[in-house]
Each structure stands twice: as structure tokens, then as C-alpha cells.
Amino acid sequence: MADPIDFYFDFASPYGYFASRRIEDLAAAHGRTVTWRPILLGAIFKVTGMKPNLQQPLRGEYLVHDVGRIARLTNAPFTYPDSAPANSVAASRAFYWLTDEHPEQAKLLARTLYHAHWGEGRDIGPAETVVEIAGTLGHDRAAVAAALQDQTVKDRLRAENDAAVDRGVFGSPFVIVDDEPFWGWDRLDMVERWLSTGGW
């Protein structure tokens, strides 16, 4: 059995959103599964010295134009959120609280949070919003709220972020196939070619 594909993403990343809509089908077509790994780019930027794209002159304006164009190209539901860039801490904690025992439910939560933010334009930064969205999927709201403040969950997210940096992850989306790294939504075609050919 081939190793899973590692899919690193930040909920604040529109490019991660577009990748999240394709990665599972891409992997399944090649007999692979996907391990979803939310990260916090804010913490990673402290290592790389970068700033969020939206805070960079010229690059921020380009991103706003580009993501609308990708949404039209891929027929993705898209509403640019006023809250961008969102604080993705609560969303990421909720995912890691759920993923060990219920990985498919965690993926569904991630896709639902992503859709709420980039598809509907909602601010998913507040903990109460994450709790409410998780509740619509049948999760106990009190349990989710407690998990977001649980030190074990906080430590897990920090450890996942540190591990991502150790693997060379610096952006979203970031896909690793058998130790081969690919950064960016526009690299998914290359990922597919890599899987088809075994690499080059």
C-alpha cells in the first residue's frame, strides 16, 4: 500500500481552499489516501521572514484578482470574505481534536469550514463560529468548545506546525508525495503527473 499524500493547508489560504476541493479525487485516482494537516502560516512566517500576501504591496492586489479568476475557472463557490486573512487557530484546533478518532469527519469539518469562509464569505476566526459550524455536522457544541481550550489540543497544533517546518513546509497548499514537496494550487497538475509516472 502506497503511503498517504500529506496535504498541508491554512484555512486562511484561498489557494488551500481550491486545493482542498481537488486533492481527494486526485489521490484516489492513483490509489492513494490523503492525510490532511492544517497549519498556521503566521507561525511559519516567523521562520521564513515573510508576511501574509494581503499585507504585501502589489502581491495582495494580485491575489484578490487571481483567486476570483481561479474560482471562475474551477466553478468553485466563492465569496471573498471581509475578514481575510482569517485567524485559523480555532478551525485548526477543532480539526486536530477530531482527526485521530474520526479522520473522515475531520476532513468533512475542514471542507465545511473552508466552504463557509471562502465559499460563503463567513469569518471562521471566532471560536463560536467554529463551534456553530461543527454543530451543524452533528458534533456536540459543548465538547467542541471545550476542545478549543484544551491544552492537549493546543499542544497538538503547535507540534504539527513545528513538524511541518521540519519537513520544509512554508506555504499553503503544500503537498508532499513520498518526500517530494510541491507548493501551490498550481502544482496539482504536477502532483498528478508525478503520481502517474512515478516521478522524474
Side-chain angles (χ1 to χ4, degrees), residues 80-92:
Y80 199 91
D82 292 337
S83 56
N87 182 331
S88 53
V89 171
S92 299

Side-chain angles (χ1 to χ4, degrees), residues 9 22 85 146 172:
F9 62 94
R22 182 178 172 194
S172 169

Side-chain angles (χ1 to χ4, degrees), residues 63-144:
L63 179 147
V64 173
H65 176 77
D66 189 42
V67 296
R69 180 171 57 191
I70 293 171
R72 295 190 300 274
L73 174 68
T74 61
N75 293 315
F78 190 76
T79 303
Y80 199 91
D82 292 337
S83 56
N87 182 331
S88 53
V89 171
S92 299
R93 286 179 184 170
F95 176 92
Y96 282 119
W97 165 70
L98 192 58
T99 192
D100 286 342
E101 292 188 14
H102 306 287
E104 293 306 314
Q105 291 182 32
K107 289 180 185 181
L108 176 59
L109 175 60
R111 288 192 294 267
T112 305
L113 287 164
Y114 246 148
H115 176 77
H117 187 54
W118 292 107
E120 300 175 351
R122 296 179 63 185
D123 182 2
I124 62 167
E128 55 268 26
T129 302
V130 173
V131 170
E132 187 269 322
I133 291 172
T136 65
L137 298 177
H139 300 292
D140 181 85
R141 297 180 188 216
V144 178

Side-chain angles (χ1 to χ4, degrees), residues 1-5 22-34 175 177-178 182 187-200:
M1 183 73 179
D3 290 337
I5 293 171
R22 182 178 172 194
I23 191 66
E24 288 285 342
D25 288 344
L26 188 159
H30 296 280
R32 298 288 189 113
T33 59
V34 183
V175 176
V177 181
D178 302 331
F182 299 88
R187 290 296 188 271
L188 290 184
D189 287 343
M190 190 180 292
V191 170
E192 189 160 34
R193 180 72 176 271
W194 190 272
L195 290 166
S196 296
T197 63
W200 55 87

Side-chain angles (χ1 to χ4, degrees), residues 19 35 38 51 62 107 166 185:
T35 301
K51 295 191 298 185
Y62 175 82
K107 289 180 185 181
D166 288 344
W185 169 83

